[in-house]
Amino acid sequence: MSRVHWCPLLALVLCVGLSCVSVPGPRPSKDPATLRYTVTFVREPTRALDVEVVLVRGTPRVFRFTSPGGVASVSAYREDGEHFEVPVTEEGRVALPSDIRFLRYRYALESRTRSRRQGLFAGMGEGDAWHVAGRAYLIRPHQTPPDLRVELAVEGADALLPWQPDEAGLYRLRAEDLVDSGFHGFGGRRCQVVVPDAVLDVAVLGRFRQLDDNQVCGWLKQAAEEVLTVRRAFPYPRITVRVIPVPGHAGPSLFGMVLWSSPPSISVLVGQDASAASFERDWVALHEMLHLAHPAFLPRVPWLSEGLATYYTEVARVRSGRQSAERGWEELVDGFARGRRVAGARTMEEVVSGNGFSPGTYWTGALLALHLDVEIRRATGNRRHLEDVLELLAERGPSSTLGAFGVAVDAIAGRPLFDALLARHLKRAAFVEQEGLLQALGVTAESEGIQFVPARDSLLREAMESRGYIRESPGIRR
């Protein structure tokens, strides 16, 4: 993430503006919150976020920005109003003296130097509708004791944060919520998607040329319902989704990402010139929501998380009827071919080493997910499947490990299965298992497209394709 450089005139304006504000009064002792944040959306001289943090005795004195680079220094104030500038280190740390009462700083949202992906985190938008990751602009305690509480208020714009505010608009959080504070939206327009037992609060952060907000939220509703072909219930009772139009593009989804805030938050970049018809072939929104169907793997295992979401992206679209079974298998086979071109002669272990997110990572993971699904169905006479693993992990909490995933696979299969199958994939050339697996499922790629032929596991394949039960959804609220 690139560092934001303020011009000298803007720095002078900020210095003057921050030095003349009043000192807040003492915090009532009956108030249990330890830290009080006020985030103010400002428009002049450019769009920015002014942040004030009020401290009390016992508050940690070392703070940090999780993703540094957007703030060079913070203004620290003593009780009597005396203040001075405290620099932010390259690692994002801010060390405060013990007598500091509160601190202030400004985070600039507008920058001409950001790419789209950088902007998704550091700030992108137009007019009074802006998007930014909380970790880019919110300072937080370097260490977060479990009993440390936070109050956060937003002024100057209607905000969509991952958390639910109380009736007064105040967010009451744990300090650990600031470690991964998700995606934040300021301004824009709102709608709400309702599926059984869950709601998606949506912010549309900009203008579309051919779409209205009902069509945008209808597209998200379709994706949420398709998640219900994989999981018995939507994975979270409430999530937030931000949709950001990108000028000069007609494609429905250009990029999407989920952050594991609590609850998770999703943001999707959509071409400003996209049409409602273009959403029919879109897969990005569904893919990001399917990440919610599996736990957050700690430490990260990209081939597993992306492989599960990639595999189920095609399965869910077939089950919902949005694409035919032949088309779904064609998408998988084409994806495996793209992954194979990237992998070359390397083993799966070599392809997925490190934390990269190349096509090889996605599609080797998807092939293993398919193989796991088939082996579980074989072991249980087609009575259990990979979705049962996801349900079991969900009962155990929102996060997991690779080892715990393997234990869950074996529990559902009723016998040891995962370790041997994983080792078989990792040590051999990537995608070497593909041909035999598809042949056993009766999937053949002909010049005229995918054909199904009778084979050993044809019944398993048909069960994998079968439509999941979707209850009638209440719809979209504006």
Side-chain angles (χ1 to χ4, degrees), residues 33-154:
T34 303
L35 293 173
R36 184 174 62 201
Y37 286 70
T38 301
V39 178
T40 304
F41 182 85
V42 298
R43 295 165 175 79
E44 299 294 339
T46 59
R47 271 69 174 186
L49 298 172
D50 281 349
V51 181
E52 176 185 88
V53 187
V54 180
L55 292 74
V56 294
R57 289 187 180 90
T59 298
R61 296 291 146 168
V62 179
F63 283 73
R64 65 169 297 185
F65 291 93
T66 303
S67 294
V71 177
S73 65
V74 302
S75 297
Y77 290 76
R78 295 191 170 97
E79 189 75 46
D80 61 5
E82 180 185 3
H83 75 281
F84 52 92
E85 294 297 305
V86 181
V88 180
T89 68
E90 290 186 2
E91 296 76 27
R93 289 166 61 100
V94 177
L96 301 174
S98 60
D99 58 349
I100 295 302
R101 181 70 171 84
F102 67 102
L103 54 88
R104 290 189 177 114
Y105 60 90
R106 173 166 288 187
Y107 181 87
L109 289 169
E110 296 183 79
S111 172
R112 297 181 182 276
T113 61
R114 295 174 185 149
S115 69
R116 274 193 222 104
R117 184 165 181 177
Q118 287 176 322
L120 191 68
F121 291 93
M124 65 186 302
E126 62 175 9
D128 287 344
W130 282 82
H131 180 279
V132 64
R135 69 190 191 193
Y137 80 91
L138 277 179
I139 199 170
R140 64 172 177 86
H142 180 61
Q143 295 182 332
T144 54
D147 60 343
L148 192 60
R149 294 294 180 263
V150 170
E151 288 181 354
L152 188 147
V154 178

Side-chain angles (χ1 to χ4, degrees), residues 129-267:
W130 282 82
H131 180 279
V132 64
R135 69 190 191 193
Y137 80 91
L138 277 179
I139 199 170
R140 64 172 177 86
H142 180 61
Q143 295 182 332
T144 54
D147 60 343
L148 192 60
R149 294 294 180 263
V150 170
E151 288 181 354
L152 188 147
V154 178
E155 300 177 353
D158 180 24
L160 182 63
L161 310 187
W163 317 290
Q164 187 82 358
D166 63 17
E167 293 181 357
L170 192 65
Y171 298 88
R172 300 183 183 275
L173 313 172
R174 305 161 300 171
E176 62 190 67
D177 289 327
L178 301 179
V179 176
D180 189 343
S181 46
F183 287 126
H184 297 188
F186 297 89
R189 303 174 305 284
R190 302 288 182 271
C191 67
Q192 189 177 76
V193 173
V194 181
V195 294
D197 303 319
V199 297
L200 286 66
D201 285 324
V202 181
V204 182
L205 300 174
R207 298 171 293 104
F208 287 103
R209 299 184 189 277
Q210 302 184 56
L211 296 171
D212 60 35
D213 293 351
N214 276 335
Q215 291 170 317
V216 172
C217 287
W219 156 61
L220 296 174
K221 175 177 164 58
Q222 172 184 260
E225 288 180 333
E226 288 176 331
V227 173
L228 295 176
T229 70
V230 175
R231 291 287 304 276
R232 288 196 289 267
F234 197 80
Y236 292 84
R238 175 185 176 269
I239 65 166
T240 56
V241 182
R242 281 139 294 269
V243 179
I244 308 101
V246 179
H249 292 271
S253 293
L254 308 175
F255 182 75
M257 182 171 285
V258 59
L259 291 185
W260 293 100
S261 48
S262 184
S265 51
I266 293 175
S267 291

